[in-house]
Amino acid sequence: MNGPQSKGKYPLVALQAVLSYLQSSARHCPSVRLPCRLLQFLHIDNSDNCRRQDAKTRMVTEHGGTIGSLSDECCMGYPNRPITLIVPYGAGGVTDVITRSLAQAMSLHLKQPIVIENKPGAGASMGVLDMKTAKPDGYRLTLTPAGIFRQPYIQKVNYDPVNDLSFISAFMEYDFILAVPPKSPFQTVSDLVAHSKKEGGSIDYGSAGRYSGNHVTMALLEQRTGAQFIHVPYKGDAEATNALLAEHNKSAVFGNTVLPYLTSGKLRALAIASPHRAEAFPNVPTFKEQGYDIVVPSPLGFAGPRGLTTDVIRKLEEAVQVALKDKNFQQTAANYGIRTQYLDNKAYTALAHRVFSDEKAIIASIGLE
């Protein structure tokens, strides 16, 4: 065999293999950003990406940057490093536990870890405030509890809950349950209301904090009935639960974290602020069933900074959908009686705008301003 001819053959085979790989990657992985001239050489129509590449190239060069670093980030695809997800509550609560379980399932799908960062305080708005300075690259995200839409109507805030965020997906909804100690003389909501009217200032209730959904539930009951209750805000459901178990308060409003205490008989529920009885609490009547028009919706999802790209949002949406079907996550949700509810970017964005508008009327009607 002629030596020089055999040596010339293998580089050609290797080049063909590389070209075949590049063609496959460009066609089946849209996140891969190949140079436009190479795409044209490979006979691949990717004109939209080419226009975006040209715009990015002009932007980077005009600002004195280098094209290489931008191209490297794009070609690696999203995500190519760990993602941080802010939970604006303390560690160990039901929101923290559920979110960690969801994040674990999402990580398996995205093949990158999602790191939970707890930032409690400021009415659960620390995550939204963080998003104002975060890069819109999908590597720093936050939970978006319903309270962030309420705070701007109660006090001055340094964020806009609809315009400072890119809403990604909603994945669950809370329930709010009015409960009492097992030996309490109050068997119904009417009993509680009647006693309060008879002896003003005699009924107190614990909550997870001022202006929380728990607080709003009882404020609505006051507004609907003319009764007056004494609000005792705590730093979360855990503190409020311990206080009611020790009978420091006569009642309290909890989120889903109260489920095991109801199941064990350590506490007794009077009503749930949902449109219908929840599957996890089948024996707990709604406020509506008892004649009180009180429904407090509390969807929970997550978002990123304003300006997230469609590609990043779609990948995260897909990861949430997959995670909601994960058996470990479903078991965790069941342990706390959590109602899962998936909303994509479009539906969640519309819901966020609607909730923000609705909160204004709610706050005005119950006098929390």
Side-chain angles (χ1 to χ4, degrees):
M1 180 177 291
N2 189 299
Q5 289 181 350
S6 63
K7 287 183 179 180
K9 177 181 178 181
Y10 295 105
L12 179 60
V13 172
L15 179 59
Q16 289 173 335
V18 170
L19 291 176
S20 176
Y21 171 78
L22 291 174
Q23 285 178 319
S24 176
S25 297
R27 287 194 176 105
H28 298 100
C29 185
S31 63
V32 174
R33 303 287 191 245
L34 297 178
C36 294
R37 291 190 179 182
L38 179 56
L39 290 171
Q40 293 168 358
F41 175 74
L42 297 174
H43 304 291
I44 295 172
D45 182 10
N46 207 3
S47 54
D48 288 342
N49 281 339
C50 285
R51 281 193 293 271
R52 286 196 294 269
Q53 281 189 23
D54 289 342
K56 288 180 179 178
T57 299
R58 287 194 299 272
M59 178 182 69
V60 173
T61 54
E62 284 173 3
H63 289 80
T66 59
I67 298 175
S69 60
L70 179 61
S71 299
D72 290 344
E73 182 75 15
C74 290
C75 291
M76 291 176 72
Y78 173 85
N80 56 56
R81 52 188 169 88
I83 298 168
T84 296
L85 176 57
I86 296 173
V87 174
Y89 301 102
V94 62
T95 302
D96 180 65
V97 172
I98 293 296
T99 303
R100 287 177 186 274
S101 182
L102 183 80
Q104 178 62 31
M106 289 176 64
S107 295
L108 295 175
H109 177 74
L110 294 170
K111 296 180 172 54
Q112 287 291 342
I114 296 180
V115 180
I116 300 299
E117 181 178 325
N118 296 94
K119 295 186 73 171
S125 65
M126 294 298 290
V128 183
L129 291 170
D130 188 286
M131 292 300 99
K132 292 193 67 176
T133 57
K135 293 180 180 179
D137 56 8
Y139 290 101
R140 196 161 180 83
L141 311 170
T142 183
L143 287 189
T144 45
I148 67 170
F149 305 108
R150 186 176 304 127
Q151 289 289 335
Y153 298 119
I154 297 169
Q155 59 191 43
K156 185 177 180 180
V157 297
N158 294 319
Y159 67 87
D160 184 319
V162 293
N163 293 317
D164 287 342
L165 298 169
S166 296
F167 292 95
I168 297 166
S169 174
F171 59 89
M172 62 170 275
E173 188 162 356
Y174 287 111
D175 294 304
F176 294 109
I177 299 98
L178 172 60
V180 295
K183 296 181 180 180
S184 169
F186 309 119
Q187 299 298 316
T188 65
V189 177
S190 294
D191 291 342
L192 204 70
V193 170
H195 189 86
S196 175
K197 286 185 173 182
K198 183 178 180 181
E199 299 182 27
S202 61
I203 303 295
D204 59 6
Y205 70 94
S207 82
R210 294 183 69 208
Y211 312 127
S212 62
N214 318 54
H215 183 189
V216 169
T217 298
M218 291 302 282
L220 284 171
L221 184 61
E222 288 180 321
Q223 193 264 343
R224 302 282 192 270
T225 64
Q228 292 185 338
F229 305 103
I230 299 173
H231 182 209
V232 184
Y234 292 94
K235 295 179 181 178
D237 268 355
E239 282 192 12
T241 300
N242 290 334
L244 191 60
L245 288 171
E247 299 189 25
H248 295 319
N249 304 126
K250 289 184 173 63
S251 64
V253 179
F254 302 104
N256 297 69
T257 187
V258 74
L259 178 59
Y261 300 98
L262 299 180
T263 304
S264 65
K266 293 181 178 180
L267 294 175
R268 178 162 50 82
L270 299 184
I272 186 169
S274 300
H276 49 75
R277 294 197 183 198
E279 184 177 346
F281 306 93
N283 299 320
V284 181
T286 65
F287 278 94
K288 277 196 166 187
E289 285 180 61
Q290 301 178 66
Y292 306 99
D293 186 17
I294 297 173
V295 175
V296 183
S298 187
L300 181 66
F302 66 101
R306 181 177 59 184
L308 279 188
T309 67
T310 300
D311 285 348
V312 168
I313 290 174
R314 293 291 173 266
K315 287 190 176 183
L316 291 169
E317 282 180 329
E318 181 180 293
V320 172
Q321 286 181 290
V322 171
L324 289 176
K325 298 175 183 177
D326 180 82
K327 290 183 179 179
N328 290 331
F329 171 75
Q330 291 179 342
Q331 183 59 57
T332 302
N335 291 342
Y336 290 93
I338 294 296
R339 289 186 288 127
T340 58
Q341 173 183 286
Y342 174 74
L343 295 177
D344 63 13
N345 158 256
K346 184 177 180 180
Y348 190 29
T349 300
L351 176 65
H353 282 76
R354 187 167 65 252
V355 169
F356 186 42
S357 176
D358 291 346
E359 285 290 342
K360 182 177 183 178
I362 292 173
I363 295 303
S365 69
I366 60 181
L368 290 183
E369 294 177 290

